[in-house]
Amino acid sequence: MKDSSLPDLGSSVDFVTLDIRVQGFSTSSTSDAGRMVLNVDEVEDPYLDGYCYLSLCILSICRFQFYYTTFGLFCQEKIRIALYVQKAALQFIDAGNRVEYKVSSEARDAGFGIHPDEIAAIVRGHDNKTLDDFGGVEAIVRKLSVSVDGGVSEESINIRQQIYGFNRYTEKPSRSFLMFVWDALQDLTLIILMVCSVVSIGIGIATEGWPKGTYDGVGIILSVFLVVIVTAVSDYKQSLQFRDLDKEKKKIFVQVTRDGKRQKISIYDIVVGDVVHLSTGDQVPADGLFLSGYFLLIDESSLSGESEPVNVDEEKPFLLSGTKVQDGQGKMLVTTVGMRTEWGKLMETLNEGGEDETPLQVKLNGVATIIGKIGLTFAILTFVVLTIRFLVEKALRGEFASWSSDDAMKLLDFFAIAVTIIVVAVPEGLPLAVTLSLAFAMKKLMNDKALVRHLSACETMGSASCICTDKTGTLTTNKMVVNKIWICENVIQIEGNESADKLKTCTSEGVLNILLQATFQNTSAEVVKGKDGKDTILGTPTESALLEFGCLLGDDFDAYSKRREYKILKVEPFNSVRKKMSVLVGLPDGGIRAFCKGASEIILKMCDKIIDCNGEVVDLPQDRANNVSDVINGFASEALRTLCLAFRDINETHEETNIPDGGYTLIALVGIKDPVRPGVKEAVQTCIAAGITVRMVTGDNIITARAIAKECGLLTEGGVAIEGPDFRDLSPEQMNQVIPKIQVMARSLPLDKHKLVTNLRNMFGEVVAVTGDGTNDAPALCEADIGLAMGIAGTEVAKENADVIIMDDNFTTIVNVVKWGRAVYINIQKFVQFQLTVNVVALVINFVSACITGSAPLTAVQLLWVNLIMDTLGALALATEPPNDGLLKRPPVARGANFITKPMWRNIIGQSIYQLIILAILNFDGKRLLGISGSDATKVLNTLIFNSFVFCQVFNEINSRDIEKINIFRGMFDSWIFLLIIFATLAFQVVIVEFLGTLASTVPLNWQFWLLSLLIGAVSMPIAAILKCIPVERDTSKQHHDGYEALPSGPELA
């Protein structure tokens, strides 16, 4: 049907063109968005009019395009276009046929006057027209039955969740254990072996009858089953660990007002109607409307792909879940939660696909591929040699024309051995070892207050050669208190109530009053009463320290300053670029006053007056300003953070909307004490011993920074302390000279930190770890090899851009991450050394034996058991070794260094030669040397070879615990996983040899042969000690940045 009242759009509609018609914008990416055509003539639906049907079709096309593009291509440009198109379609629907929403009786009874989907559509579609029709934000506040000042009541939370939903997103269901079993069964070589076992059972039953004919086949099946189960259990446990990690990553807290009290709650506990307080760096927890605030700048790039931030105010009040606050502060009313939000609808189609492979996994996958190809070559050669020998022998006996089922079984055995050689040769344990080691380290680090967000950070942290750290909260406790104040040209030490009384007596009432106004009016912190009735200060540590000091002087926060009588006209929040916070206040008498506080040097330059010792406002000439600078430097040399407080009264002629940048009167200078954390000095010394340079990058005064750096032990003789502005002015040649010596950078901007990190990486090839807590630290965190965000002081933006979150903001925890990173790297090296030794011996012994004797001493079942020992169990034993303090007494691994080192090759080749010599002697002359005779002599000898081979691997596993040191037993008895696997391997070996002979092609051995097997394996330990005495590489730990090795001097010369 076609309604004649419809505009003639032709027989087809290009949805991008439609978007231009409805939205009134043009895009150059029409071709990228794609073209979809709707034939209006074909519409035949008696229940829908033309507009409605057309609208729904367009919307579904747009949604399909949006989801398909987002899920399939993850292209931000396409997401942006698709979002515009979707918005246009929503407006098209609205113009053609607006949906009537009916509020349920349950919602009406609870006092709500708007349908969940209706308010969701208004905010998601940025529908100002419908919002105005309702009566604006104030009307929505009434319809949601909430108070802007008091927030929602605790009693209404349950009913709000029932009607408007929970703030949770639909997540992809976790994979069951059986799915991991199924994945493990997909291995091609295991599938081939299972086919071989089935064929073997069929031929065996036909020739040897039941049950004897099934033994070989059932043995292979049971071995495959064991490999699959162990692999599945390992993978399943890792998935559980990563799920726990994912839950930790999603723990975000926001501040809301409920029952008139400001409190911190989980993002998942947000309900519709909540009044949320937003500040720089926060993540918007749900869709909502702007209530009040200043300079609220929102980064919507995660949704729209637009890099330009959006100003949110009364005219543009819409806030979307998942976006970030780039600057400013404000309050928002939550209108939509969970799956009704724009972010929720996006998450319906975008489920996280798990971790990407780490660089080390990629590198080891390449190694595994090469080894696998070598194994495949050996397997084919082994099969060809065995088959040719068999055919030649058959021809020599004159039996080439007659074939029996026994001959078919022999050929099948040859094929099974060849396939099993591939199974042994393909080192699937390499990537498994990386994942196991990283998962183990991540779990332990989580317990040690470090949340690893990206797997690769764990291994990269082990190579870190430089740490650029913040001062506040990382090196210091972040528990700030006002320690000294300079006011009316007097310095007063603040130590409790007595000091406050002294300050009151020596300061006039007028000066005290203006000091308290500057403290209480110009603050982003707030004093709130908890459920226990006690006052709590919510805000940054610096703000909290000032507010606590103000409360010490002036009683009650609200009552003293009569905050309700003062009108906040404008606020410029503090950020790391401005380094100050300013506020414009309307006074009760009608006047206007500006307050400003911040970095002492910056505020001092803005002042042209000062309050003198008599409490009078006087001019501030240069000599007097120099005296103030001396006081600032004196405070800073005592490791105090210095802040200046200033005010300016503004006359009527001043443009009230702008906060002045000068003409202020200096009220006071405050010195805030932030003690150095216990253990930081020792942690810094540990880093220096480990070859890691620690650099402090702070926004503080350079004198304060120097004092703290010396206290921490990171500013050493010859080290440079530089200010950010001076650093920015350096030429590239000067930077090349200065950067290696920089140990402290003060008064730095985030861009200074970014520049330092970039040059350290590009000029000097350093592996750089950077700490950050603010929104502006995000570029440096992204640029660094490892970004470390602070869990307590850090903003959500910083955390999202970081690789590791330091949950307790402690520098000692960072050192712990380095130690675990090094443990991961060296544990994987240990495993690789162990596995490559097994690979070389298993491949060579089977191939050489096949060439010379026409049979392989190690059967398919035996090789599968060896494969299990060296892959899954070996990875579990060696890759989960805890770190030791010795790891921090060696230099970091250089960027681009070979993973398989010369000492590893030395150990691999040495052990392989020993094992091959012993096994070759047993294989070719064992019967004569050991006096083995009888009908089962060959079986006894092959069992002894198999047993000796396994014992060699067990002892080599112990040898691999340390690549370079002779003492391999250090810490072994503290690693219960390692001991458990060694004992379990030995116990199962006894079971296989003594009790599962039918399945494993073994016969029970006497105690002399068991002792011989044990001795053969044990001899590998003194051989390992001898090998480690062979020097294979020189010490390059003392090389300079220019690549030249330092000349030895003093004790080094000897």
Side-chain angles (χ1 to χ4, degrees):
M1 79 179 187
K2 189 170 181 179
D3 194 332
S4 59
S5 63
L6 282 171
D8 184 16
L9 300 177
S11 59
S12 69
V13 179
D14 180 330
F15 75 88
V16 175
T17 310
L18 172 69
D19 184 49
I20 294 169
R21 292 178 190 175
V22 177
Q23 277 290 97
F25 82 99
S26 63
T27 173
S28 60
S29 303
T30 308
S31 59
D32 287 341
R35 184 179 176 89
M36 288 206 176
V37 176
L38 172 71
N39 290 319
V40 181
D41 292 327
E42 294 174 10
V43 173
E44 291 182 4
D45 194 321
Y47 300 102
L48 297 171
D49 62 39
Y51 260 122
C52 185
Y53 187 85
L54 183 57
S55 305
L56 289 172
C57 288
I58 292 165
L59 179 58
S60 20
I61 290 167
C62 297
R63 284 238 172 135
F64 172 80
Q65 169 69 9
F66 173 62
Y67 292 148
Y68 174 80
T69 324
T70 309
F71 184 76
L73 302 173
F74 289 96
C75 177
Q76 283 196 330
E77 176 67 10
K78 291 178 181 290
I79 295 173
R80 181 176 68 81
I81 294 166
L83 274 165
Y84 282 146
V85 172
Q86 187 184 22
K87 194 184 293 183
L90 285 167
Q91 292 181 359
F92 188 78
I93 290 172
D94 182 62
N97 188 33
R98 179 166 291 167
V99 179
E100 290 294 329
Y101 295 96
K102 289 186 179 179
V103 180
S104 67
S105 56
E106 185 185 12
R108 280 199 305 272
D109 293 343
F112 305 125
I114 191 164
H115 193 279
D117 292 331
E118 186 169 20
I119 185 64
I122 291 169
V123 176
R124 204 168 60 242
H126 288 51
D127 192 349
N128 266 311
K129 183 177 180 300
T130 307
L131 183 63
D132 291 340
D133 291 346
F134 269 108
V137 175
E138 296 80 7
I140 301 295
V141 169
R142 290 193 299 275
K143 286 181 180 292
L144 291 176
S145 190
V146 66
S147 160
V148 172
D149 294 325
V152 302
S153 63
E154 293 284 350
E155 295 82 21
S156 70
I157 288 172
N158 288 336
I159 190 70
R160 288 176 187 275
Q161 287 176 333
Q162 287 173 27
I163 293 168
Y164 290 98
F166 293 83
N167 197 32
R168 293 182 181 274
Y169 306 119
T170 302
E171 294 183 359
K172 189 168 70 173
S174 55
R175 304 179 74 207
S176 67
F177 175 69
L178 289 176
M179 293 178 76
F180 285 99
V181 172
W182 177 250
D183 285 348
L185 281 167
Q186 302 306 304
D187 189 288
L188 181 61
T189 51
L190 293 182
I191 292 170
I192 294 170
L193 279 175
M194 285 188 283
V195 171
C196 287
S197 66
V198 171
V199 174
S200 173
I201 290 170
I203 297 173
I205 291 173
T207 56
E208 299 179 49
W210 177 272
K212 193 178 178 183
T214 63
Y215 291 157
D216 287 346
V218 170
I220 294 173
I221 287 176
L222 287 176
S223 301
V224 168
F225 176 76
L226 188 61
V227 170
V228 165
I229 292 298
V230 172
T231 305
V233 167
S234 172
D235 289 346
Y236 182 61
K237 285 187 72 177
Q238 287 171 48
S239 76
L240 293 178
Q241 286 187 348
F242 291 133
R243 200 189 310 164
D244 292 342
L245 174 69
D246 202 43
K247 285 178 184 173
E248 284 292 325
K249 280 198 264 186
K250 291 176 180 175
K251 282 185 180 175
I252 299 172
F253 291 89
V254 291
Q255 291 191 0
V256 300
T257 298
R258 285 185 178 176
D259 286 329
K261 297 181 180 68
R262 190 162 160 179
Q263 53 191 279
K264 190 180 281 189
I265 64 168
S266 167
I267 195 171
Y268 296 119
D269 295 331
I270 292 281
V271 295
V272 169
D274 261 326
V275 175
V276 178
H277 299 259
L278 298 174
S279 56
T280 304
D282 285 348
Q283 178 175 311
V284 178
D287 288 1
L289 295 168
F290 174 85
L291 291 173
S292 62
Y294 312 95
F295 294 104
L296 196 59
L297 208 58
I298 302 294
D299 175 11
E300 292 188 348
S301 59
S302 57
L303 274 180
S304 66
E306 291 287 358
S307 57
E308 284 299 312
V310 177
N311 276 301
V312 175
D313 49 31
E314 288 84 356
E315 293 180 5
K316 296 178 182 175
F318 304 106
L319 289 152
L320 297 178
S321 173
T323 56
K324 308 290 188 306
V325 181
Q326 188 164 311
D327 200 2
Q329 59 189 50
K331 289 199 295 187
M332 71 172 277
L333 173 72
V334 174
T335 58
T336 317
V337 293
M339 298 308 295
R340 285 192 176 95
T341 64
E342 188 67 59
W343 188 250
K345 293 195 172 297
L346 182 61
M347 293 307 287
E348 269 185 314
T349 55
L350 286 180
N351 279 306
E352 288 188 37
E355 287 278 354
D356 291 334
E357 285 190 325
T358 72
L360 194 53
Q361 281 176 317
V362 172
K363 191 184 289 186
L364 289 181
N365 278 336
V367 173
T369 304
I370 293 167
I371 296 170
K373 287 176 180 175
I374 294 169
L376 180 63
T377 306
F378 268 86
I380 293 169
L381 287 173
T382 304
F383 178 70
V384 169
V385 168
L386 287 171
T387 306
I388 290 171
R389 279 188 65 101
F390 171 72
L391 294 174
V392 169
E393 286 173 4
K394 198 171 174 63
L396 290 173
R397 291 196 304 267
E399 299 172 0
F400 198 80
S402 61
W403 288 80
S404 67
S405 54
D406 285 343
D407 296 334
M409 278 296 287
K410 275 193 176 180
L411 289 173
L412 189 65
D413 282 344
F414 295 160
F415 182 69
I417 288 167
V419 173
T420 313
I421 285 174
I422 298 172
V423 173
V424 174
V426 174
E428 63 268 20
L430 290 183
L432 172 68
V434 179
T435 313
L436 266 175
S437 192
L438 290 172
F440 181 71
M442 287 166 75
K443 188 76 175 173
K444 293 292 183 184
L445 282 170
M446 205 186 294
N447 296 335
D448 291 343
K449 304 294 183 186
L451 176 63
V452 180
R453 295 184 75 251
H454 301 131
L455 272 178
S456 56
C458 240
E459 64 191 45
T460 312
M461 197 66 191
S463 304
S465 57
C466 168
I467 298 174
C468 296
T469 175
D470 288 334
K471 174 185 76 69
T472 306
T474 310
L475 299 173
T476 60
T477 60
N478 213 16
K479 292 176 182 172
M480 299 194 187
V481 289
V482 174
N483 184 259
K484 279 186 177 181
I485 183 169
W486 181 84
I487 188 167
C488 297
E489 300 184 327
N490 291 317
V491 175
I492 299 168
Q493 186 87 24
I494 305 298
E495 292 174 351
N497 291 324
E498 291 178 9
S499 305
D501 293 337
K502 183 183 175 184
L503 179 61
K504 288 178 184 177
T505 54
C506 68
T507 309
S508 68
E509 189 178 341
V511 175
L512 192 64
N513 186 41
I514 200 76
L515 172 66
L516 288 168
Q517 280 186 39
T519 305
F520 288 145
Q521 298 296 339
N522 188 19
T523 183
S524 61
E526 194 173 336
V527 179
V528 297
K529 285 196 182 295
K531 292 180 181 178
D532 55 2
K534 292 182 180 178
D535 285 346
T536 306
I537 298 175
L538 294 177
T540 64
T542 307
E543 292 279 18
S544 299
L546 284 171
L547 210 53
E548 193 175 345
F549 169 66
C551 291
L552 186 70
L553 293 179
D555 271 349
D556 183 74
F557 174 55
D558 280 327
Y560 181 86
S561 59
K562 300 174 185 172
R563 281 169 64 82
R564 308 292 179 197
E565 297 179 17
Y566 292 81
K567 185 182 178 186
I568 304 293
L569 303 175
K570 191 167 186 180
V571 175
E572 282 184 1
F574 178 89
N575 70 26
S576 53
V577 176
R578 286 191 287 266
K579 296 192 184 298
K580 63 185 175 74
M581 177 180 178
S582 308
V583 63
L584 207 60
V585 178
L587 303 176
D589 61 6
I592 296 171
R593 181 171 289 160
F595 292 101
C596 189
K597 71 177 178 194
S600 45
E601 309 94 286
I602 293 172
I603 303 300
L604 184 59
K605 287 176 184 174
M606 295 167 63
C607 295
D608 58 11
K609 293 183 179 62
I610 190 172
I611 298 175
D612 68 2
C613 56
N614 301 314
E616 300 294 327
V617 175
V618 296
D619 286 337
L620 181 63
Q622 188 58 47
D623 59 336
R624 211 163 200 162
N626 291 339
N627 292 337
V628 177
S629 293
D630 291 341
V631 176
I632 291 169
N633 293 340
F635 278 23
S637 63
E638 296 175 37
L640 297 178
R641 171 178 255 191
T642 58
L643 292 176
C644 281
L645 307 178
F647 79 99
R648 175 181 168 181
D649 285 320
I650 296 170
N651 56 38
E652 288 82 3
T653 59
H654 187 274
E655 182 59 47
E656 122 181 1
T657 55
N658 291 325
I659 299 175
D661 291 325
Y664 284 87
T665 300
L666 183 65
I667 306 168
L669 169 68
V670 175
I672 296 174
K673 183 74 174 172
D674 185 12
V676 171
R677 283 182 182 274
V680 161
K681 189 168 185 178
E682 293 78 7
V684 169
Q685 294 307 312
T686 302
C687 284
I688 293 169
I692 300 169
T693 307
V694 182
R695 295 178 168 90
M696 185 171 82
V697 184
T698 177
D700 263 353
N701 179 304
I702 192 163
I703 299 171
T704 307
R706 271 203 197 102
I708 293 284
K710 284 178 181 173
E711 196 175 339
C712 295
L714 60 83
L715 185 58
T716 58
E717 191 177 343
V720 171
I722 192 170
E723 288 190 316
D726 297 334
F727 175 72
R728 288 195 292 277
D729 293 339
L730 294 176
S731 67
E733 292 77 18
Q734 290 172 318
M735 281 194 179
N736 199 32
Q737 296 294 320
V738 172
I739 284 177
K741 300 174 186 175
I742 291 177
Q743 292 176 339
V744 176
M745 187 186 288
R747 286 292 180 235
S748 67
L749 297 176
L751 286 176
D752 298 330
K753 187 188 280 190
H754 183 267
K755 194 171 189 177
L756 177 64
V757 171
T758 305
N759 286 327
L760 281 168
R761 294 182 73 230
N762 297 341
M763 281 186 179
F764 305 105
E766 299 259 20
V767 178
V768 185
V770 170
T771 69
D773 52 18
T775 304
N776 291 317
D777 286 328
L781 290 170
C782 288
E783 175 65 25
D785 294 283
I786 313 103
L788 305 160
M790 300 298 107
I792 299 169
T795 62
E796 289 306 320
V797 173
K799 290 176 189 175
E800 193 171 281
N801 285 280
D803 302 298
V804 181
I805 299 172
I806 307 301
M807 306 299 282
D808 59 356
D809 291 15
N810 195 338
F811 186 79
T812 310
T813 305
I814 297 173
V815 178
N816 206 25
V817 176
V818 172
K819 187 160 74 171
W820 272 102
R822 291 191 176 188
V824 166
Y825 194 86
I826 203 156
N827 282 349
I828 297 164
Q829 282 186 317
K830 293 174 191 175
F831 173 71
V832 168
Q833 176 183 296
F834 166 67
Q835 186 169 50
L836 290 183
T837 306
V838 185
N839 273 352
V840 169
V841 176
L843 288 176
V844 173
I845 194 70
N846 261 20
F847 176 69
V848 173
S849 179
C851 292
I852 297 172
T853 67
S855 64
L858 300 175
T859 66
V861 173
Q862 291 168 0
L863 283 172
L864 282 171
W865 168 233
V866 171
N867 182 64
L868 189 65
I869 294 173
M870 75 175 194
D871 271 352
T872 310
L873 296 180
L876 200 58
L878 291 169
T880 57
E881 286 258 291
N884 58 67
D885 292 333
L887 291 174
L888 292 177
K889 292 176 182 172
R890 61 172 73 192
V893 178
R895 190 191 294 276
N898 289 329
F899 181 75
I900 303 177
T901 61
K902 290 178 182 176
M904 288 171 67
W905 281 122
R906 174 196 63 197
N907 298 341
I908 291 165
I909 294 167
Q911 287 291 342
S912 299
I913 291 170
Y914 164 69
Q915 290 184 26
L916 285 170
I917 290 170
I918 293 296
L919 295 178
I921 291 169
L922 288 176
N923 190 45
F924 299 116
D925 204 23
K927 290 180 187 177
R928 185 185 66 80
L929 289 173
L930 299 172
I932 302 171
S933 59
S935 58
D936 61 348
T938 303
K939 275 198 168 184
V940 171
L941 180 62
N942 285 345
T943 304
L944 179 61
I945 290 171
F946 167 57
N947 210 34
S948 302
F949 180 62
V950 169
F951 270 96
C952 282
Q953 307 327 315
V954 170
F955 280 95
N956 194 35
E957 200 165 350
I958 299 170
N959 287 331
S960 297
R961 291 193 70 253
D962 202 304
I963 294 169
E964 296 179 45
K965 289 190 171 60
I966 292 173
N967 183 7
I968 51 177
F969 297 106
R970 185 181 60 180
M972 188 174 88
F973 298 101
D974 297 328
S975 178
W976 64 268
I977 296 178
F978 186 87
L979 293 174
L980 182 66
I981 287 170
I982 293 294
F983 286 123
T985 304
L986 291 173
F988 203 71
Q989 179 66 15
V990 172
V991 171
I992 286 177
V993 172
E994 297 294 324
F995 306 107
L996 297 178
T998 312
L999 297 174
S1001 304
T1002 59
V1003 292
L1005 297 175
N1006 58 36
W1007 69 267
Q1008 291 94 338
F1009 285 161
W1010 274 104
L1011 184 61
L1012 178 62
S1013 302
L1014 184 67
L1015 285 172
I1016 288 170
V1019 169
S1020 67
M1021 298 180 83
I1023 286 174
I1026 294 166
L1027 287 170
K1028 288 171 185 176
C1029 294
I1030 302 171
V1032 287
E1033 61 184 5
R1034 61 178 180 167
D1035 181 18
T1036 57
S1037 62
K1038 293 185 172 61
Q1039 279 192 349
H1040 290 181
H1041 286 302
D1042 56 12
Y1044 291 100
E1045 203 171 337
L1047 289 172
S1049 60
E1052 289 180 20
L1053 194 60

